[in-house]
Amino acid sequence: MASRLDDLLDPEFRFKPRIAGRRGRGDAHRVTSLRAALSGLGRSKPYDVGRARENSRRCVVKCHYVSMHGGGRDAARLHLAYLERDGVERDGSPGQLYGADASFDKAGFAEPLKGERRQFRFIVSPEDGRDVDLQAFTRELMAQVEKDLGRSLIWTAVNHHNTDHSHVHVVVRGVDRNGKEVRFPRPYIEEDMRARAAQVMTRELGVRTELDIVQQRSNEIGQERLTSIDRRLARLVSADGRLLAPAIAKLHTQERSTVLGRLATLAALGLARSGPRGAWELVAGWQESLKKLGLRNDVIKRLHHVAGGDVSRYRFVEPSDLSAPLEGV
């Protein structure tokens, strides 16, 4: 489940084409819907995370749930090997799995556990990930997660520096150290773990300065993805998609220039158009279009890292387009 800051960071994600009209049997790599995996869990909180402040350091946390039924165990072992592949560390070396302390046993972590029905996989991507010791950050974060959940988890992680934003892959086993089933409350997946990660980063680096915030917003103006500026726009736009000049005029000078710059970018993307008397109109579904555009750009980056070549020659197709044979590299 993506956090609200997907527009900033671009950690890796699974990308698997699906052929229309074909359904594989026993697909060990199928990722079960997180919403389905967490259905029935209450929203009560035995912990108090608190709200992140605007000047807190920012972090993305993505999670998905993997069933251990069928070929799930083999897929889990392959996933660990994939995380340790070449070229993901700062110096281009293979990734190194680690745990809560120096006693971590990589071989033991991969062993089957009685009663394990699922595993949780997290991608934690701090905005300032290149400025901290990610291993120390992850250990502090997971210690806080264990405290929040009131249980000792079995987990491992690996740092990846092979994208624009350094990030951490965390794998949590489906039973804890006492052999009890691990379940994450839905609010923790949706918001609270991200807030905890932001708190750890803020303690390490301090709060963001006003200059940091201004620079970040300036960097977002031309991005082809959903940004924090767009979420601000969404609060200003009326139900029919109109943004009137008086609403823009009420903004502070710096924010007003940022919003107008972003509207110009959206216009170039065909998602907004200017109207009379300084008004703007955003097309229906503009936020969803930005999310899809950001996902597409992330896919291009991942493909280019592996395949290289001329990005303009990449062809993207929807599942509905795959009824006819398709050839390519």
Side-chain angles (χ1 to χ4, degrees):
M1 181 173 296
S3 84
R4 298 174 182 174
L5 296 177
D6 286 347
D7 52 282
L8 282 178
L9 314 180
D10 54 358
E12 297 167 89
F13 57 91
R14 296 170 57 88
F15 173 67
K16 181 179 180 183
R18 183 177 299 171
I19 307 301
R22 295 177 58 185
R23 298 183 62 181
R25 295 179 297 176
D27 184 359
H29 297 271
R30 180 175 59 86
V31 179
T32 306
S33 164
L34 187 64
R35 182 177 296 278
L38 299 178
S39 61
L41 289 182
R43 301 189 66 91
S44 60
K45 293 185 179 183
Y47 49 86
D48 182 16
V49 175
R51 292 186 176 274
R53 299 169 60 184
E54 184 180 5
N55 60 355
S56 296
R57 299 287 168 172
R58 308 196 303 171
C59 191
V60 165
V61 175
K62 296 183 179 182
C63 174
H64 63 258
Y65 156 103
V66 182
S67 172
M68 290 292 100
H69 294 123
R73 298 191 186 280
D74 291 336
R77 284 192 290 269
L78 290 173
H79 180 66
L80 291 177
Y82 170 77
L83 293 180
E84 289 191 290
R85 68 189 187 277
D86 287 340
V88 298
E89 288 287 355
R90 292 185 191 272
D91 59 359
S93 61
Q96 297 292 325
L97 290 172
Y98 58 87
D101 52 42
S103 65
F104 172 71
D105 179 10
K106 183 172 72 172
F109 182 87
E111 291 297 318
L113 293 177
K114 182 179 179 181
E116 184 179 36
R117 300 168 56 189
R118 65 186 64 82
Q119 285 186 5
F120 290 91
R121 298 176 184 173
F122 295 88
I123 299 175
V124 184
S125 185
E127 183 176 7
D128 305 292
R130 294 189 180 275
D131 298 328
V132 297
D133 180 340
L134 283 181
Q135 187 173 115
F137 160 78
T138 304
R139 285 173 169 169
E140 184 176 351
L141 172 62
M142 293 307 296
Q144 182 62 61
V145 172
E146 291 180 321
K147 183 177 180 180
D148 289 337
L149 300 182
R151 58 175 63 199
S152 181
L153 301 174
I154 304 172
W155 64 272
T156 188
V158 62
N159 304 330
H160 279 194
H161 301 276
N162 59 326
T163 64
D164 290 346
H165 292 85
S166 298
H167 55 279
V168 183
H169 291 261
V170 182
V171 178
V172 178
R173 299 298 297 265
V175 295
D176 63 17
R177 296 190 182 279
N178 295 320
K180 295 183 179 180
E181 182 182 21
V182 171
R183 303 290 294 274
F184 282 86
R186 186 175 296 156
Y188 205 83
I189 296 294
E190 292 176 342
E191 296 182 359
D192 296 334
M193 188 171 177
R194 173 171 55 86
R196 286 300 193 203
Q199 291 167 4
V200 173
M201 287 293 296
T202 303
R203 285 196 297 269
E204 177 67 21
L205 298 178
V207 298
R208 293 187 297 157
T209 66
E210 185 63 29
L211 180 61
D212 291 333
I213 296 173
V214 170
Q215 182 63 49
Q216 168 259 313
R217 288 176 177 167
S218 177
N219 292 339
E220 290 182 357
I221 288 176
Q223 291 186 5
E224 296 183 357
R225 61 176 67 243
L226 189 69
T227 72
S228 63
I229 307 174
D230 300 314
R231 286 188 288 275
R232 177 64 173 136
L233 277 173
R235 294 192 292 269
L236 296 172
V237 173
S238 63
D240 61 357
R242 294 180 61 81
L243 177 57
L244 301 181
I248 299 176
K250 291 179 181 179
L251 300 174
H252 295 300
T253 303
Q254 180 62 46
E255 186 176 19
R256 183 164 61 249
S257 63
T258 299
V259 166
L260 290 173
R262 184 59 178 169
L263 285 168
T265 296
L266 295 182
L269 294 174
L271 299 177
R273 48 183 170 266
S274 59
R277 296 185 294 278
W280 285 82
E281 182 179 356
L282 285 86
V283 304
W286 63 278
Q287 293 184 82
E288 188 61 32
S289 296
L290 284 171
K291 290 179 182 179
K292 291 180 178 179
L293 187 57
L295 180 61
R296 175 189 175 95
N297 290 336
D298 286 341
V299 171
I300 289 176
K301 290 179 182 178
R302 295 285 296 122
L303 288 178
H304 191 259
H305 178 73
V306 176
D310 182 3
V311 174
S312 66
R313 297 183 63 190
Y314 290 179
R315 178 184 173 192
F316 288 82
V317 293
E318 297 294 333
S320 58
D321 299 328
L322 296 177
S323 56
L326 179 68
E327 294 185 4
V329 177

